[in-house]
Amino acid sequence: MAKLIDGKLISSQIKDELKAEVEELKAKGVTPCLAVIQVGNDPASCVYVNNKKKACAYIGIESLSFELEEQISQEELLTIIDELNHNEMVNGILVQLPLPKHIDENTVIHAIAPEKDVDGFHPETVGNMCIGSKGFLPCTPAGVIQLLKRSNIDIEGKECVVIGRSNIVGKPMAMLLLRENGTVTITHSRTKDLKEITKRADILIAAIGKPKFVTAEYVKEGAVVVDVGIHRNENNKLCGDVDFDDVVGKVSAITPVPGGVGPMTIAMLMNNCVETVRQ
Ligand code: NAD
């Protein structure tokens, strides 16, 4: 029987640990404060932003909300970010992506001060992660590492295969597995003989963005499978990049969707917010 890696449980344990830590910090007069910027009111972004604010409230992190109209110019947005960069009360800045088409996401990401970059997307933050220096880790890949560690799954020396090479998931995922001493292969849409490579994996991470792409023939008997994907199917039910029902009988451990990687992303964002004030 495959072990179900319970992201809901592990994320709530992390949030409880952070809540206790924030109580101690508050007793010393320190309260972390996150500025959350949303441009427009895309329904999915509204859900994500609300969940982030709720997690802040639960842990005791102060959150400042900037709900900006869709038409705001890039210059105006950059001015707000610049003010928040210089505001000593604000420890972390989060700009909910995606942004409207007239705003260049890269310019906005570059504008956030690296010491307040709790999403971990600024090039300086990415560079620090790559060379193993101290700094924020990108939330979704860091959440995957926590899922594995807290489920007592060793990464050291394991064949780790990542499907996907996006800047937000695939590439940083590979770097973090490498930092944990995994032997890492990155695969992508131009990879030849994908199944031959994924079948080598002791730990297979799927971040493809294609519903139920990974079937049993992509996985080795006894592998650990982590599904980063998140989709709504034709019946409005959530599913991942992995065909869970097809794969579950073959693997030793697997993350479900929902309740796997998803809740970990917010928990790790909260960890980064607390990190801004850790001594
Ligand atoms: P993306 O579209 O930016 O990247 C997808 C990657 O998959 C690309 O690098 C591409 O090369 C690769 N790919 C596409 N087709 C392939 C194929 N046929 N064979 C091999 N590789 C292929 O997506 P992303 O932002 O990295 O997100 C991936 C998935 O994770 C999406 O479903 C997204 O919704 C989900 N996601 C979940 C969370 C979370 O918190 N759970 C966070 C971020 C993203």
Side-chain angles (χ1 to χ4, degrees), residues 18 25 35 40 43 47 49 57 67 81 83 127 138 146 167 173 176 184 202 204 210 215 240 250 260 266-267 270:
L18 292 171
L25 285 164
V47 172
V49 163
E67 286 161 19
I81 292 172
E83 281 163 13
Q146 282 299 313
N167 287 338
M173 186 71 255
L176 293 187
V184 184
D202 300 313
L204 179 63
K210 297 204 164 124
T215 53
K250 200 172 180 184
I266 290 191
M270 296 297 110

Side-chain angles (χ1 to χ4, degrees), residues 69-87:
E69 55 184 31
E70 178 97 20
Q71 296 78 13
I72 191 170
S73 70
Q74 180 166 307
E75 284 320 299
E76 286 171 294
L77 177 59
L78 292 176
T79 303
I80 293 171
I81 292 172
D82 189 52
E83 281 163 13
L84 293 170
N85 282 342
H86 291 96
N87 182 340

Side-chain angles (χ1 to χ4, degrees), residues 114-262:
E115 65 275 14
K116 299 191 180 187
D117 175 36
V118 285
D119 252 340
F121 296 157
H122 190 284
E124 191 175 317
T125 317
V126 176
N128 280 331
M129 174 195 63
C130 289
I131 60 174
S133 290
K134 203 169 155 8
F136 301 115
L137 300 180
C139 302
T140 302
V144 171
I145 298 290
Q146 282 299 313
L147 277 181
L148 295 172
K149 284 189 168 175
R150 289 176 184 244
S151 305
N152 297 317
I153 294 165
D154 262 348
I155 302 170
E156 182 159 331
K158 296 283 172 61
E159 285 275 358
C160 303
V161 176
V162 180
I163 320 178
R165 58 170 165 184
S166 71
N167 287 338
I168 291 175
V169 188
K171 280 184 207 154
M173 186 71 255
M175 289 312 304
L176 293 187
L177 289 164
L178 189 60
R179 266 173 67 153
E180 299 296 330
N181 301 316
T183 302
V184 184
T185 306
I186 306 178
T187 63
H188 48 79
S189 54
R190 312 279 174 88
T191 296
K192 296 203 169 71
D193 298 328
L194 181 63
K195 281 179 201 167
E196 291 313 308
I197 299 168
T198 58
K199 271 195 295 194
R200 293 205 310 251
D202 300 313
I203 299 174
L204 179 63
I205 315 281
I208 313 157
K210 297 204 164 124
K212 299 192 181 185
F213 182 96
V214 175
T215 53
E217 41 183 7
Y218 284 80
V219 301
K220 179 171 80 173
E221 193 87 38
V224 172
V225 175
V226 176
D227 189 352
V228 181
I230 184 148
H231 313 275
R232 276 200 190 274
N233 71 9
E234 56 284 1
N235 307 319
N236 209 28
K237 268 187 72 183
L238 289 175
C239 73
D241 286 348
V242 176
D243 186 339
F244 184 93
D245 293 333
D246 198 43
V247 164
V248 69
K250 200 172 180 184
V251 298
S252 62
I254 184 166
T255 61
V257 177
V261 175

